[in-house]
């Protein structure tokens, strides 16, 4: 049965295309063109008939004399699309030229071919970009190199280029800038990235221009042009592009080009975004420009100094120890910088000289071989422009500077020396650590009843569970300086022996982490002392604790730890603690002297000391990618026979390759191809850390191949765990990737799946992750259950809500059941106890974040989590997870870096983000009372009586309001009596309104309803899911100096509920479209009334030594006579 079709206006109803196809055989070209137009209109319905005449249509396209050949190409393309031949369809679509309408996005045909064209263009242009010389001038100077580049990357099809260019133009016409930016990033079109953000075209730049030349053109435009006339979405585009650098761009080289371009654009804004600029420069490892930027802001107005402090806080949070030390050395005067570099009380030895030499324009010395394995590249044009711009505002002569400062900041201006001291206090880490410590002490909500319940449920002789409770207590009290549980249970703690005693002493470092001022006093009775030796396990654990306290900020204890390492002699346990402490304290500092000292311990070939030394070497050189360090460590791994040393060396090499991405491929391949399965194990971790937080498809594909093909179960477990690190910037993707692996027959693979999900989704409360892990918690293998419980705690830490019926509440019940079940396997109980500590970590005031709010990877957190996952083979590595703990704090600071009394608003009911309820132990020995029977008639009578009383009260309040209003209306307006009457009336009205609002919060069941918002006071606990519903109270004296680009959407179900509550009318919330203020982490506050006195918060007392060293003994009591019965 034929179907009549009318596909175009003016055409008769047709039931077949045979008539039009016959016209293609006519001699007249006009008839053929008419047939093609008609067939193009009905091709969607009669493509099957038209397909039989494809040879004739293709012949018409190939006839260059035929004027309608592009129409023939379009018709052939549509037929091939219907046949499923997308390659041929794209080929003929390119031949159709302008007839292929890229703006017709409602067409399935156009959408499919555009996607195909973009994919093909990206592949070809990336290949061309990889084969390009770095600059066009380089190609002119070296013909051979240019010829090699041409061979490596063939030119892109011009027709494909024209199609993509039309697509870009269509995106810009329709203001679809993010779509254009995404395609430009994938195709590595740096010129289109610039255009999508600035709406400007770079002159004399084509799609074949080398990336470095495009960056130079953008820098030249910045030098010659006026500030960018940014639209409303320009800052949002900058933020979007900056996030894409950390989540989408897989090429390290192209990412560097994009970051340099963003630095140029940030500087061209009418109001330069110094925070975004510093973040880009930090990822580029450009300490010189960051130091110049801080110098400029430090000597500017009061607001600019606040910006400098905000930049410094972000540098400490996101930068490595080596980078921050270099910035600090460049900011200090030359004598102070030399003293800092030479190691007065610690410093980045081997790198201060290089930084000073670079600052002076001289090359680094040859002795600095461990700092850089190769000569650094020349400074890019964009970065040089930013440096010049930052340096251009050097301080004028004293008189001019004083006048300018007085005019800009007035009485609020600070002295330069005072400003520099405050900035150094931030960059040294002293102030951020002290503020976090005070927040954790002030808001400590550790529930000791949980620890007492675990202690009572575990058998006294169970050493494994005893050690787990010690670790759990350390995590629950991490950073709070509260060790009350240990002090109250000294007899129970004394059961720890040997390595359990080592771990128990080391747990003090987790509890007092960041307590730098009292660290030595706290550990004085445990640290090694000349001529005295209580227990090598206590001494080694105390050194380990000292490293944990000073983790990633080890300058104050560097000299002491080096001396302790040298004085340890042949005591392997003390050496073990000293090596771990040195690696933790000098993490990512690339300290050459510390590296050599650790290497000397390694070469003694002691299994216990060598294991810690190997790990310490990796920690000191973390993220450096040092070829020398990797070669030495791999060579010794082949020479030694100790598996503990080999495993630690493999993990150390992986830590050295952190964040190196493609640069680490050579080392990764050599490890993965090694015959030793332990080194292949390290290769899996090297792959995880090198590509951590990138979600690179190539890395994921390679890991999956290892996970299903390697013959070693340990390697397969490590490979699956590695997926969590690679996907940690995209948590929602990880449960889908490991879904099939979680059902593997191999329990090691299943265990790896649990840890991968726990690492990737840590602190997110991801629903898919929770459902997968809940099912795996009932696995038949004990260590899979252990991994599932620990991973659930990682995912649900600081998630909301925390009520008994929430997912976190259900997990607490599950953990309590596993701990109290004496028939449960010891490994599962160990995991349950550890999970309890993680779930309540930091006094319920910390979460686990491997990336910052803007997507920047945190080296200490990722490295600490990687070492923690190796507790499988060595339980003393459990404390490394504390490096990933981040306080969920909002701390507001004024210009004096003090905490003023300041309140802001959370537009959500208080219970949405409240602390979990404390554990209430069941009372024993009490007889349960039987409930009294109540008749239905009695209940109805009582309900009616309550309703009658409520009506009477409401009528009485209304009458009082009417009396107040009448008295106010009848009073004369000009008399003092009238003013007093008005105030009294207003007070009465406000009281009545409060009472009325309270009545409206009372439901039908008589229970009080929650208010829709809550006031939070500085410093406040703010969960990540809560940040999307925060706002500043209208009329507040203090406002954050940094404004967010766009409001953050509330995450998860709790965030959605909170957003709904805010939309329901919570007062003080930001209006739609307004920029939100920055309300997370350290926030510098601008005082709108600086002339008025400020109310500051008193410092909270911290734990520590109960009696100061210089405190005198109290006087004895006065003589007295005791009389019995008095």
């Amino acid at each position: 049965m034929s179907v009549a079709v009318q596909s175009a206006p003016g055409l008769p109803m047709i039931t077949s295309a045979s008539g039009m196809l016959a016209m293609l055989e006519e001699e007249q070209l006009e008839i053929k063109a008419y047939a093609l137009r008609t067939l193009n209109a009905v091709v969607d319905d009669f493509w099957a008939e038209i397909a039989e005449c494809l040879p004739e249509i293709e012949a018409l396209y190939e006839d260059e004399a035929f004027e309608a050949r592009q129409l023939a190409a379009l018709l052939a393309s549509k037929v091939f699309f219907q046949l499923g031949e997308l390659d041929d369809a794209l080929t003929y679509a390119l031949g159709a030229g302008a007839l292929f309408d890229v703006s017709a996005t409602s067409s399935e045909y156009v959408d499919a071919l555009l996607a195909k064209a973009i994919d093909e263009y990206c592949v070809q242009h990336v290949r061309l970009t990889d084969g390009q010389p770095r600059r066009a001038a380089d190609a002119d100077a070296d013909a051979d190199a240019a010829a090699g580049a041409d061979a490596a990357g063939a030119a892109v099809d011009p027709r494909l280029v024209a199609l993509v260019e039309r697509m870009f133009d269509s995106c810009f016409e329709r203001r679809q800038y993010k779509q254009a930016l995404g395609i430009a990033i994938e195709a590595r079109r740096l010129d289109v990235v610039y255009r999508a953000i600035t709406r400007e075209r770079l002159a004399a730049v084509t799609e074949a221009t080398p990336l470095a030349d495009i960056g130079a053109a953008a820098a030249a435009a910045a030098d010659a042009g006026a500030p960018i006339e940014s639209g409303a979405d320009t800052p949002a585009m900058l933020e979007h592009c900056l996030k894409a650098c950390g989540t989408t761009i897989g090429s390290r080289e192209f990412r560097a080009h994009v970051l340099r371009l963003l630095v140029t654009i940030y500087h061209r804004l009418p109001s330069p975004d110094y925070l975004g600029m510093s973040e880009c420069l930090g990822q580029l490892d450009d300490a010189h420009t960051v130091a110049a930027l801080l110098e400029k802001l430090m000597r500017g107005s009061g607001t600019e100094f606040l910006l400098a402090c905000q930049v410094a806080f972000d540098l400490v949070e996101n930068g490595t120890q080596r980078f921050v030390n270099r910035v600090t050395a460049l900011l200090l005067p030359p004598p102070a910088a030399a003293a800092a570099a030479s190691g007065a009380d610690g410093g980045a030895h081997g790198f201060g000289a290089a930084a000073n030499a670079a600052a002076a324009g001289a090359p680094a010395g040859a002795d600095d071989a461990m700092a850089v394995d190769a000569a650094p590249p020349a400074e890019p044009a964009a970065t040089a422009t930013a440096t010049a711009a930052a340096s251009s505002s050097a301080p004028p002569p004293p008189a001019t500077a004083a006048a300018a400062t007085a005019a800009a900041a007035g009485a609020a201006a600070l002295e330069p020396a005072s400003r520099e001291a405050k900035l150094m206090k931030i960059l040294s880490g002293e102030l951020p650590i002290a503020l976090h410590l005070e927040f954790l002490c002030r808001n400590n909500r550790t529930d000791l009843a949980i620890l007492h319940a675990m202690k009572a449920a575990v058998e006294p002789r169970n050493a494994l569970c005893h050690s787990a409770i010690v670790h759990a207590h350390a995590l629950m009290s991490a950073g709070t300086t509260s060790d009350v549980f240990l002090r109250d249970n000294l007899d129970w703690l004394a059961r720890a022996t040997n390595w359990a005693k080592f771990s128990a002493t080391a747990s003090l470092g987790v509890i007092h982490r960041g307590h730098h001022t009292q660290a030595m006093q706290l550990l004085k009775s445990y640290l090694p002392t000349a001529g005295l030796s209580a227990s090598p396990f206590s001494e080694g654990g105390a050194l380990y604790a000292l490293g944990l306290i000073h983790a990633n900020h080890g300058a104050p204890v560097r000299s002491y730890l080096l001396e302790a390492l040298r004085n340890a002699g042949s005591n392997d346990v003390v050496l073990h603690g000293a090596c771990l402490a040195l690696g933790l304290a000098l993490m990512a500092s690339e300290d050459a002297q510390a590296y050599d000292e650790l290497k000397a311990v390694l070469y003694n070939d002691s299994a216990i000391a060598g294991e810690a030394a190997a790990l310490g070497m990796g920690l000191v050189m973390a993220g450096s990618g040092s070829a020398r360090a990797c070669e030495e460590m791999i060579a010794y791994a082949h020479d030694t026979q100790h598996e503990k040393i080999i495993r630690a060396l493999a993990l150390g090499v992986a830590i050295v390759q952190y964040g190196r991405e493609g640069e680490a491929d050579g080392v990764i391949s050599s490890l993965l191809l090694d015959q030793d399965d332990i080194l292949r194990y390290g290769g899996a971790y090297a792959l995880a850390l090198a590509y951590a937080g990138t979600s690179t498809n190539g890395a994921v594909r390679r890991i999956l191949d290892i996970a299903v093909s390697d013959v070693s179960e340990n390697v397969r477990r490590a490979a699956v765990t590695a997926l969590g690190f690679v996907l940690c910037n995209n948590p929602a993707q990880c449960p889908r990737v490991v879904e099939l692996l979680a059902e593997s027959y191999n329990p090691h693979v299943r265990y790896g799946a649990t840890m991968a999900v726990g690492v990737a989704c840590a602190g997110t409360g991801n629903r898919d992750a929770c459902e997968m892990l809940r099912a795996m918690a009932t696995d038949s293998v004990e260590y899979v259950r252990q991994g599932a419980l620990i991973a659930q705690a990682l995912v649900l830490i600081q998630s909301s809500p925390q009520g008994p019926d929430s997912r976190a509440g259900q997990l607490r019940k599950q953990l309590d059941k596993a701990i109290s079940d004496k028939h449960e396997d010891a490994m599962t109980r160990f995991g349950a106890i550890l999970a309890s500590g993680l779930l309540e970590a930091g006094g319920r005031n910390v979460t686990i974040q491997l990336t910052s709010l803007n997507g920047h990877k945190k080296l200490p957190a990722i490295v600490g989590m990687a070492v923690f996952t190796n507790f499988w083979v060595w339980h003393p590595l459990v404390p490394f997870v504390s490096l990933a703990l981040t306080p969920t704090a909002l701390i507001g600071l004024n210009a004096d870096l003090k905490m003023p009394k300041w309140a802001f608003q959370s537009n959500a009911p208080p219970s949405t983000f409240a602390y979990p309820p404390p554990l209430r132990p069941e009372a024993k020995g009490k007889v349960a009372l039987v409930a009294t029977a109540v008749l239905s008639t009695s209940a109805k009578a009582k309900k009616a009586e309550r309703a009658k009383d409520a009506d009477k009260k409401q009528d009485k309040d209304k009458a009082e309001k009417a009396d107040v209003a009448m008295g106010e209306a009848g009073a004369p307006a000009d008399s003092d009596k009238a003013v007093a009457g008005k105030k009294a009336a207003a007070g009465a009205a406000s009281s009545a309104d409060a009472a009325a609002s309270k009545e409206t919060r009372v439901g039908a069941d008589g229970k009080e309803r929650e208010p829709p918002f809550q006031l939070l006071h500085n410093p406040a606990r703010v969960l990540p899911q809560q940040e999307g519903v925060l706002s500043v109270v209208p009329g507040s004296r203090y406002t954050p100096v940094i404004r967010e680009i766009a409001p953050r959407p509330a995450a998860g179900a709790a965030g959605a509920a909170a957003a709904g509550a805010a939309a329901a009318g919570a007062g003080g919330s930001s209006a739609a479209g307004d920029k939100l203020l920055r309300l997370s982490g350290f926030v510098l506050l601008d005082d709108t009334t600086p002339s008025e006195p400020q109310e500051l918060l008193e410092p909270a007392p911290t734990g520590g030594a109960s009696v100061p060293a210089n405190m005198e003994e109290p006087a004895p009591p006065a003589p007295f006579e005791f009389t019995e019965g008095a």
Side-chain angles (χ1 to χ4, degrees):
M1 179 179 177
S2 60
V3 179
V5 176
Q6 182 176 1
S7 300
L11 292 178
M13 303 292 289
I14 58 176
T15 59
S16 175
S18 57
M20 279 80 75
L21 292 173
M23 293 181 185
L24 296 177
E25 300 178 359
E26 296 292 333
E27 295 294 335
Q28 296 182 13
L29 299 179
E30 293 81 0
I31 296 177
K32 293 181 178 181
Y34 174 79
L36 289 173
R37 285 194 297 272
T38 307
L39 290 171
N40 185 59
V42 299
V43 65
D44 292 339
D45 301 302
F46 300 105
W47 60 267
E49 291 185 61
I50 301 173
E52 298 178 359
C53 297
L54 269 178
E56 289 82 356
I57 300 173
E58 291 175 344
L60 291 175
Y61 165 68
E62 294 171 0
D63 185 3
E64 297 182 359
F66 184 47
E67 294 182 357
R69 62 189 300 265
Q70 289 186 342
L71 186 58
L74 182 62
L75 179 60
S77 175
K78 291 182 177 180
V79 174
F80 276 117
F81 168 74
Q82 297 290 351
L83 292 172
E85 301 290 340
L86 292 184
D87 292 334
D88 292 331
L90 178 59
T91 301
Y92 283 103
L94 295 176
L99 293 181
F100 181 71
D101 187 7
V102 296
S103 62
T105 54
S106 59
S107 168
E108 182 182 357
Y109 161 73
V110 174
D111 289 343
L113 287 196
L114 272 181
K116 178 70 176 176
I118 292 170
D119 291 342
E120 184 65 24
Y121 176 78
C122 291
V123 171
Q124 293 189 22
H125 194 267
V126 167
R127 189 183 301 119
L128 175 67
T129 304
D130 290 340
Q132 282 179 347
R134 295 189 178 273
R135 289 182 178 271
D138 298 338
D140 295 337
D142 193 345
D144 295 336
D150 292 339
V156 183
D157 188 343
R159 300 175 303 169
L160 191 59
V161 173
L163 175 64
V164 174
E165 290 292 346
R166 285 193 290 121
M167 186 270 304
F168 279 136
D169 293 337
S170 176
C171 287
F172 290 129
E173 289 174 3
R174 291 178 293 174
R175 303 180 65 84
Q176 295 177 343
Y177 301 118
K178 287 189 177 181
Q179 288 86 332
L181 180 64
I183 297 170
I185 287 175
E186 188 174 355
R188 300 189 191 176
R189 286 289 301 273
L190 195 61
D191 57 322
V192 181
V193 172
Y194 181 85
R195 182 184 174 190
I197 298 174
T198 65
R199 319 292 187 265
E200 296 178 0
R201 286 181 179 269
L202 290 173
V205 170
T206 66
E207 59 94 20
T209 306
L211 297 176
D213 289 345
I214 296 175
D223 293 338
I228 296 173
E229 297 181 2
S230 60
D233 53 352
T234 300
M237 289 296 297
L238 283 166
E239 182 78 3
H240 180 72
C241 187
L242 184 57
K243 288 184 178 179
C245 289
T247 59
T248 304
I249 302 177
S251 169
R252 186 182 178 89
E253 181 181 359
F254 180 66
R255 187 187 304 119
H257 284 292
V258 174
L259 290 172
R260 294 187 188 105
L261 183 68
L262 291 181
V263 170
T264 303
I265 298 174
Y266 274 127
H267 187 264
R268 284 192 61 192
L269 291 175
S271 298
D273 186 351
Y274 297 109
L275 202 64
M277 196 184 303
S278 66
E279 184 179 347
C280 294
L281 294 170
Q283 294 189 43
L284 290 168
D285 200 29
D286 189 353
H288 301 283
T289 311
V290 171
L293 181 66
L294 287 174
E295 181 77 17
K296 171 187 174 181
L297 294 174
M298 184 174 62
R299 299 186 181 279
S301 63
T303 302
E304 289 181 332
F305 173 67
L306 291 177
L307 286 172
C309 294
Q310 191 72 68
V311 169
F313 274 116
D314 287 356
L315 284 178
V316 173
E317 179 186 6
N318 299 327
T320 63
Q321 190 171 177
R322 171 179 173 265
F323 181 78
V324 176
N325 287 342
R326 288 170 57 200
V327 172
T328 304
L330 291 168
L331 280 173
L332 289 173
S342 62
D345 228 7
H349 279 276
F351 298 96
N356 293 333
D367 294 337
D368 196 25
M370 286 300 298
V372 183
D373 289 319
E379 186 177 21
T383 307
T385 302
T387 306
S391 303
S392 62
S393 58
T400 307
T405 304
L414 300 173
E415 293 295 330
S418 173
R419 290 186 172 188
E420 182 176 306
K422 291 175 181 177
L423 206 60
M424 292 300 108
K425 195 173 182 181
I426 299 173
L427 291 174
S428 66
E430 177 185 350
L431 183 62
I433 292 172
L435 291 172
H436 276 155
L437 188 69
E438 182 171 352
F439 165 78
L440 293 175
C441 294
R442 188 186 293 268
N443 297 276
N444 184 15
R445 296 292 189 280
T446 303
D447 191 355
L448 296 181
I450 298 176
L451 291 167
H452 288 296
M454 289 192 294
K455 174 175 169 287
V458 172
E459 302 82 0
R461 296 184 179 181
N462 193 328
L464 182 63
C465 292
H466 181 279
S467 179
I469 294 175
V470 172
H471 286 305
H473 168 257
L475 294 173
M476 292 173 68
S477 304
T480 64
T481 70
S482 174
D483 52 5
V484 177
F485 177 78
L486 295 182
R487 295 178 183 273
D488 293 344
N489 296 275
L490 292 177
D491 294 338
W492 172 84
L493 185 63
R495 294 173 185 166
T497 58
N498 299 334
W499 287 106
K501 180 182 289 188
F502 177 92
S503 297
T505 311
S507 69
L508 295 174
V510 179
I511 298 170
H512 295 277
R513 188 186 172 202
H515 203 180
H516 293 181
T517 56
Q518 294 287 326
M520 298 300 293
Q521 182 69 20
L522 286 165
L523 300 172
K524 183 178 180 180
S525 58
Y526 304 104
L527 289 170
T529 305
L532 298 174
S533 178
S535 168
F537 294 100
S538 295
E539 293 177 354
L543 290 172
Y544 187 12
L546 191 62
L548 289 167
I549 292 174
H550 292 271
N552 203 36
H553 295 88
V557 294
R558 177 184 179 277
S559 301
Y560 176 83
L561 290 176
L562 285 173
E563 191 65 24
L565 185 68
R566 299 187 189 105
N567 295 337
S570 59
N571 192 323
D572 288 345
V573 179
V574 177
L575 283 172
H576 189 92
C579 291
L580 290 177
L582 199 59
L584 283 164
L586 302 181
M587 181 185 296
S589 65
E590 302 180 38
D591 190 316
Q593 183 181 3
Y595 175 85
D596 290 336
E597 293 283 353
L598 291 168
K599 184 171 64 174
V601 175
L602 173 69
Y603 286 171
N604 290 332
D605 203 38
S606 169
I608 296 174
E611 178 185 26
L615 190 56
M617 291 166 64
L619 292 171
V620 170
M621 304 300 294
S624 66
S626 171
R628 171 188 161 189
C630 290
E631 290 172 2
E632 292 176 346
M633 295 169 77
I634 294 175
Y636 193 78
H638 286 115
D639 292 340
T640 187
Q641 300 297 319
H642 296 290
E643 289 189 1
K644 293 172 69 71
I645 296 179
I646 298 173
R647 184 178 292 105
L649 285 169
L651 186 58
V653 171
I655 296 173
V656 172
Q657 297 300 330
Y658 167 84
R660 307 309 295 185
E661 298 181 22
E663 298 177 12
D665 284 345
V667 175
I668 294 172
S669 298
S670 65
L671 291 173
L672 292 176
L673 295 175
D674 201 282
Q675 295 182 355
D676 192 337
D677 62 324
I678 300 179
L679 289 178
R680 297 201 305 274
Y681 174 93
Y685 270 97
L687 194 56
L689 296 181
Y691 289 93
T694 62
S695 298
T696 306
N697 291 334
V700 172
R701 194 179 303 114
R702 197 171 182 183
I703 289 172
L704 290 174
D705 180 63
I706 300 169
V708 298
S709 63
D710 200 278
V711 297
S712 171
E713 293 181 336
N714 292 328
V715 177
R716 297 178 67 180
R717 184 184 69 249
V720 181
T721 304
L723 286 170
F725 292 95
V726 176
L727 299 174
C728 66
N729 66 326
N730 191 2
Q733 186 180 355
C734 188
R736 296 195 299 267
V737 173
V738 304
E739 184 177 6
L740 294 178
L741 295 173
E743 300 175 359
S744 171
Y745 72 92
N746 191 322
H748 288 266
V749 173
R750 298 201 300 273
Y751 177 88
T754 64
M755 297 309 297
V757 174
V759 170
C761 302
T764 64
N766 185 277
R767 178 173 299 177
D768 294 337
C770 292
E771 291 177 356
M772 176 186 294
L773 294 171
R774 190 181 301 115
M776 300 184 73
T778 59
D779 196 277
S780 59
V781 181
E782 67 279 3
Y783 54 81
V784 177
R785 296 197 298 273
Q786 178 197 84
L789 294 175
I790 293 175
Q792 283 188 81
L794 293 174
V795 174
L796 293 175
I797 181 175
Q798 289 290 290
S799 64
S800 59
Q802 288 276 342
D805 297 329
S806 64
R807 288 195 292 269
Q810 294 174 2
L811 176 61
R812 287 186 174 90
K813 295 176 183 177
Q814 185 178 11
L815 295 175
D816 182 61
K817 180 180 178 182
I819 295 170
S820 58
D821 186 1
K822 298 183 179 181
H823 300 288
E824 182 63 84
D825 189 88
M827 292 186 69
T828 305
R829 298 179 77 185
F830 178 90
I833 295 171
L834 208 58
S836 297
L838 287 168
L839 197 60
E840 317 291 342
R844 295 175 170 175
N845 289 297
V846 299
T847 186
I848 293 179
Q849 289 183 339
L850 303 187
T851 58
S852 61
L853 295 174
N854 47 29
H856 194 279
K857 296 180 293 186
K858 295 183 177 180
L859 182 148
I862 294 177
V863 170
M865 186 63 73
V867 178
F868 164 73
T869 57
N870 283 267
F871 80 89
W872 173 281
V873 293
W874 190 230
H875 285 171
L877 297 180
V878 168
F880 270 85
V881 74
S882 64
L883 301 181
L885 299 179
T886 302
T888 51
L890 190 154
I891 302 175
L893 301 172
N894 60 11
D896 294 328
L897 302 182
K898 304 292 184 182
M899 287 190 292
K901 290 186 177 180
W902 170 57
F904 54 98
Q905 186 165 298
S906 172
N907 299 311
S911 64
T912 306
F913 304 106
Y915 285 102
L919 177 67
R920 294 181 179 178
E922 297 181 359
K924 296 182 179 180
K926 290 186 178 181
V927 179
L929 300 178
V930 180
T932 305
V934 180
L935 298 176
S936 60
T937 54
S938 302
K940 289 180 180 179
K942 289 183 179 180
K943 184 176 181 181
E945 187 178 352
R946 285 197 301 267
K948 189 176 180 180
D949 293 341
D951 291 340
K952 288 182 179 179
K953 185 178 180 182
Q954 188 173 5
D955 293 339
K956 183 180 179 181
D957 291 339
K958 285 182 179 179
E960 291 177 357
K961 284 184 185 179
D963 294 341
V964 171
M966 289 177 63
E968 182 181 356
D974 297 332
S975 64
D976 295 339
K977 197 181 225 182
V979 175
K982 249 183 187 182
K983 290 183 179 179
S990 62
S991 300
D993 290 342
S997 63
K998 185 175 182 180
E999 287 182 7
T1000 58
R1001 294 198 300 266
V1002 177
D1005 55 356
K1007 294 182 179 179
E1008 186 176 348
R1009 295 177 182 173
E1010 280 190 290
F1013 63 92
Q1014 178 187 16
L1015 284 181
L1016 303 176
H1017 298 275
N1018 183 38
R1021 169 181 176 262
V1022 175
L1023 303 185
Q1025 302 95 328
Q1026 193 175 4
E1027 293 169 12
V1029 296
L1030 297 181
S1031 62
V1032 174
V1033 178
S1036 176
R1037 174 177 177 175
Y1038 300 97
T1039 57
V1041 70
I1042 291 294
R1043 294 178 178 269
E1044 285 291 356
I1045 298 299
R1048 286 195 182 94
S1069 61
S1070 299
D1074 293 346
K1075 292 181 180 178
L1076 293 183
L1077 301 178
R1078 174 169 180 160
L1079 290 172
S1080 58
F1082 293 105
V1083 179
L1084 272 297
L1085 301 174
D1086 194 3
D1087 189 357
T1088 58
T1089 56
S1091 59
E1092 297 181 5
Q1094 300 187 57
E1095 292 185 73
L1096 302 178
L1097 294 173
E1098 294 293 333
T1102 59
S1106 57
V1107 180
N1110 57 353
M1111 186 174 183
E1112 297 181 358
E1113 288 288 338
F1120 63 93
E1121 183 178 352
F1122 175 74
T1123 303
E1124 188 176 357

